[in-house]
Amino acid sequence: DIDLNELLPYIDWNPFFQVWQLRGKYPNRGYPKLFNDATVGEEARRIFDEAQVMIRDLIDNRRIRASAIVSILPANAVGDDIVVYKDESRTEVAGTYYGLRQQAEKDKESTDPYLCLSDFIAPSSTGIPDYIGSIAASAGFGVDELAAKYEAENDDYSAIMVKALADRFAEALTEKLHQDMRRELWGFAPNESLDTQDLLSIKYQGIRPAPGYPSQPDHSEKRVMWELGNIKETTGIELTESLMMHPGASVCALVFAHPKSSYFAVGKITKEQIDDYAERKSTSLNDVETWLRPILSYDA
């Protein structure tokens, strides 16, 4: 089991206060300045202090449990896709992450490239052996049961609180594991020395985008991650039919080490790319359009 005490320094408290709709006004926006806000500061401090009491109870009495796995697998880019190999011989493919490339026209003055996640992995044609990482982490084991207990006692406040804290622990665990990968497990940034605020400001090398988010809006790519990482069997984190993660306080992400890798939004894409994407994935056009409907530039 993962020691939740080790995650406390990595917690980003700002989303916690958003759960309670506590937003300060300039210059007291964000934690910890929020406590100085004339309108919500006192309430924010009270809820924060009560959260600390619950955290101690959750940890000391082992009421919730965290589980996680990271992987670092040999990979290379082939066009817009990322091919993952079974071993270092790189002769047999274990799976493929399929990519989507930006298409929405940029400003005439812009020199920015039209990005795809595969751009951050060495092409197979270069002969350069590259890698792709992944993280699956959860702090949600036991949370549903505990929240149900609170709700049965008509204590909705505590039910919301434990779910909000579990979400914070899951994100903190992901932050710590990503740091461990950069410094030691993968070791592409062994001399990194960043404080918590630097981590939350993404001042480190590399990125960790998640399937279903702007850089790869297709939630179905999670299936590839789960298969390659043996995630369900190893951690107990499952994918539902709608490809949500269970338990709820769970996070997954791909990890890229390239020093010039950056977050981006794919944005709207054309039917030509959808047709090509469906063909590459060997998936029906209807299935692809269903998952990617929000970013289609045409009516489907």
Side-chain angles (χ1 to χ4, degrees), residues 43-288:
E43 180 72 359
R45 169 59 75 179
R46 180 186 67 80
I47 290 178
F48 180 77
D49 289 344
E50 290 174 355
Q52 306 315 301
V53 174
M54 180 174 280
I55 283 174
R56 290 276 33 109
D57 177 60
L58 294 176
I59 295 177
D60 294 345
N61 295 300
R62 301 173 65 86
R63 298 194 189 280
I64 65 173
R65 182 175 62 85
S67 181
I69 186 172
V70 302
S71 68
I72 304 163
L73 301 175
N76 282 111
V78 178
D80 288 346
D81 303 328
I82 300 168
V83 172
V84 182
Y85 303 103
K86 286 192 172 182
D87 54 43
E88 287 292 351
S89 71
R90 299 173 183 261
T91 57
E92 195 171 350
V93 174
T96 302
Y97 288 110
Y98 296 94
L100 292 164
R101 187 170 294 279
Q102 290 177 315
Q103 283 188 287
E105 187 174 356
K106 300 178 187 288
D107 294 337
K108 292 181 179 179
E109 296 78 14
S110 175
T111 59
D112 294 338
Y114 289 80
L115 293 173
C116 176
L117 285 176
S118 63
D119 295 342
F120 307 135
I121 300 288
S124 59
S125 59
T126 65
I128 298 172
D130 209 345
Y131 299 85
I132 189 168
S134 70
I135 300 172
S138 177
F141 295 97
V143 171
D144 287 345
E145 295 80 359
L146 189 54
K149 173 181 175 294
Y150 287 131
E151 289 167 353
E153 297 169 352
N154 296 315
D155 187 358
D156 291 343
Y157 174 77
S158 293
I160 295 171
M161 177 73 80
V162 71
K163 291 178 181 179
L165 291 176
D167 285 340
R168 293 302 87 223
F169 274 120
E171 293 287 354
L173 176 54
T174 304
E175 196 70 71
K176 183 181 186 303
L177 291 173
H178 192 192
Q179 184 183 67
D180 290 344
M181 292 176 78
R182 296 190 304 272
R183 286 178 172 178
E184 303 166 17
L185 302 176
W186 197 337
F188 58 84
N191 299 317
E192 175 186 292
S193 179
L194 301 173
D195 61 24
T196 300
Q197 190 54 51
D198 288 336
L199 294 176
L200 299 179
S201 299
I202 318 176
K203 293 186 178 180
Y204 47 76
Q205 177 180 325
I207 58 173
R208 58 168 193 267
Y213 285 80
S215 296
Q216 171 38 296
D218 187 356
H219 280 280
S220 72
E221 287 293 288
K222 290 176 188 170
R223 296 189 186 115
V224 182
M225 187 185 301
W226 254 247
E227 292 169 5
L228 289 173
N230 201 30
I231 291 171
K232 177 183 175 181
E233 294 75 12
T234 305
T235 67
I237 306 170
E238 300 180 326
L239 293 176
T240 66
E241 286 188 7
S242 60
L243 298 181
M244 300 295 287
M245 290 174 282
H246 182 80
S250 299
V251 177
C252 71
L254 293 174
V255 179
F256 293 79
H258 197 292
K260 292 187 178 180
S261 59
S262 61
Y263 292 102
F264 62 92
V266 169
K268 295 292 185 179
I269 55 178
T270 66
K271 190 171 188 305
E272 287 75 15
Q273 181 167 191
I274 288 293
D275 288 341
D276 179 67
Y277 186 70
E279 183 176 352
R280 284 186 279 128
K281 283 175 68 83
S282 299
T283 303
S284 73
L285 180 62
N286 181 68
D287 191 46
V288 168

